[in-house]
Amino acid sequence: MVRFEESSITFPYTRSLGPVIGAFMTALTEKKILGIRNRDSVLVPPMEWDPATGAELPRELTEVGPAGTIQSWTWVPDPTEQHPLDRPFAFAFIRLDGASTPLLHAVDAGSPGAMADGMRVAPRWRGTRIGHITDIACFVPGDEPEVDGDDFGAAAEPVEMMDYLVSIAYRNPVPATSDLVVDASRQQRLVGFRCAVCGRTYAGGRGICPIDSLELDEQHLVDLPSTGTITNFVIVTPVQYPGQTETEPFARVFVLLDGTDVVLSYQPVVELPVHEVAVGVRVSAVWASAAEETEGNPYGSLIGWIPNGEPNVDDPDLVNRIF
């Protein structure tokens, strides 16, 4: 049976809202929903430009709703952590009273049988509002707005900036060879897989020889040396952004393992200052203890590479060894 591993990518960032969206978000803290006039129509949420012509719209903001009518909807039976509610709910296009365009939001109706096109809904406001679309926790059936908990009032200042946290979760199949590599690393062993046809050796958990299309498994397992030579490197100077944990420049190196043609790429270094990183430096593997192990390392408990005190290798061909 194939095992799958779930991972996620998160990207936090901050953006300025501008005069139109800023006003819209500020109004949400006051339990008001604003649209913008576009000739005979009212766009909700408001936009700075006419979506049909691209022309800048006059700043004629107008209050709509807060109640409205459902135009269409879809039921979400199994919400994820990225959904606005932690229980089954509907996403619906809601045409707020006085608006010409629908607003997409969540409706907490309890069951799909309680939903219908044309039904009336009103917002359930959060008690603490920060100037974000989630200040509307959801919409509920009926014409009367609600407040979730105590109402702590509007924002003290206009909302001009907004923090975002974008993330996506995905699942990858994990080859059995990856588990063999990780298990060996816990014994402080570096292993690879040797193709029986071409004789090439592959480090990490690659489960196939791309040259001969041969599936690799435990019978192809070989031990690799835990010493090598740096052939190439890159120094990374971190750019600070929300969520960045690195603050100082750090190195990633390519290590040619002794007596093999195997090059491990973009490896961390230990106790090797960036100004001392150089082609030809001799290094040895550093292994994590059980308490130090981290998820997602394709080489398991391998922390990185540390200078082993041996003389540097003077070989001009080393720089050509990147794979």
Side-chain angles (χ1 to χ4, degrees), residues 116-149:
D117 291 352
M119 71 180 287
R120 297 285 292 171
V121 290
R124 175 184 291 152
W125 299 98
R126 295 192 186 278
T128 301
R129 298 178 294 279
I130 60 174
H132 193 277
I133 191 63
T134 53
D135 285 352
I136 304 175
C138 60
F139 282 78
V140 294
D143 281 286
E144 293 300 320
E146 302 177 357
V147 175
D148 187 5

Side-chain angles (χ1 to χ4, degrees), residues 44-76:
V44 180
M47 305 178 69
E48 295 186 43
W49 297 274
D50 186 326
T53 67
E56 186 174 0
L57 295 175
R59 304 279 167 78
E60 296 182 35
L61 295 168
T62 182
E63 187 174 352
V64 297
T69 302
I70 290 180
Q71 293 187 322
S72 61
W73 57 277
T74 186
W75 190 253
V76 181

Side-chain angles (χ1 to χ4, degrees), residues 5-202:
E5 187 174 81
E6 185 166 301
S7 303
S8 63
I9 298 175
T10 302
F11 177 55
Y13 66 99
T14 302
R15 61 159 288 192
S16 59
L17 297 177
V20 174
I21 298 300
F24 173 77
M25 295 300 182
T26 301
L28 292 179
T29 72
E30 302 167 351
K31 295 187 292 186
K32 297 178 182 179
I33 303 174
L34 299 183
I36 193 168
R37 293 194 179 279
N38 181 17
R39 296 184 294 276
D40 295 330
S41 63
V42 176
L43 308 179
V44 180
M47 305 178 69
E48 295 186 43
W49 297 274
D50 186 326
T53 67
E56 186 174 0
L57 295 175
R59 304 279 167 78
E60 296 182 35
L61 295 168
T62 182
E63 187 174 352
V64 297
T69 302
I70 290 180
Q71 293 187 322
S72 61
W73 57 277
T74 186
W75 190 253
V76 181
D78 298 305
T80 71
E81 62 180 12
Q82 293 179 310
H83 281 116
L85 298 178
D86 60 2
R87 53 194 176 277
F89 69 97
F91 271 128
F93 277 125
I94 304 165
R95 184 168 175 173
L96 300 174
D97 296 343
S100 305
T101 57
L103 174 72
L104 177 65
H105 215 295
V107 177
D108 188 11
S111 70
M115 294 292 300
D117 291 352
M119 71 180 287
R120 297 285 292 171
V121 290
R124 175 184 291 152
W125 299 98
R126 295 192 186 278
T128 301
R129 298 178 294 279
I130 60 174
H132 193 277
I133 191 63
T134 53
D135 285 352
I136 304 175
C138 60
F139 282 78
V140 294
D143 281 286
E144 293 300 320
E146 302 177 357
V147 175
D148 187 5
D150 295 331
D151 192 338
F152 292 97
E157 301 290 339
V159 179
E160 298 177 344
M161 306 292 290
M162 183 172 294
D163 294 327
Y164 287 83
L165 187 63
V166 179
S167 64
I168 184 171
Y170 59 95
R171 299 171 72 236
N172 278 336
V174 180
T177 46
S178 291
D179 290 332
L180 292 173
V181 170
V182 172
D183 290 343
S185 76
R186 296 191 176 112
Q187 304 168 27
Q188 298 191 359
R189 294 168 52 219
L190 194 60
V191 298
F193 299 87
R194 181 169 295 147
C195 175
V197 178
C198 67
R200 289 177 173 84
T201 301
Y202 302 100

Side-chain angles (χ1 to χ4, degrees), residues 224-274:
L224 297 172
S226 57
T227 55
T229 304
I230 293 177
T231 69
N232 287 267
F233 63 90
V234 61
I235 306 298
V236 180
T237 301
V239 175
Q240 294 307 305
Y241 56 82
Q244 170 66 278
T245 57
E246 297 286 353
T247 58
E248 300 298 326
F250 60 92
R252 290 294 181 263
V253 302
F254 287 60
V255 179
L256 173 63
L257 301 181
D258 290 346
T260 73
D261 287 326
V262 176
V263 176
L264 303 187
S265 57
Y266 298 107
Q267 299 291 295
V269 291
V270 178
E271 296 182 12
L272 180 58
V274 293

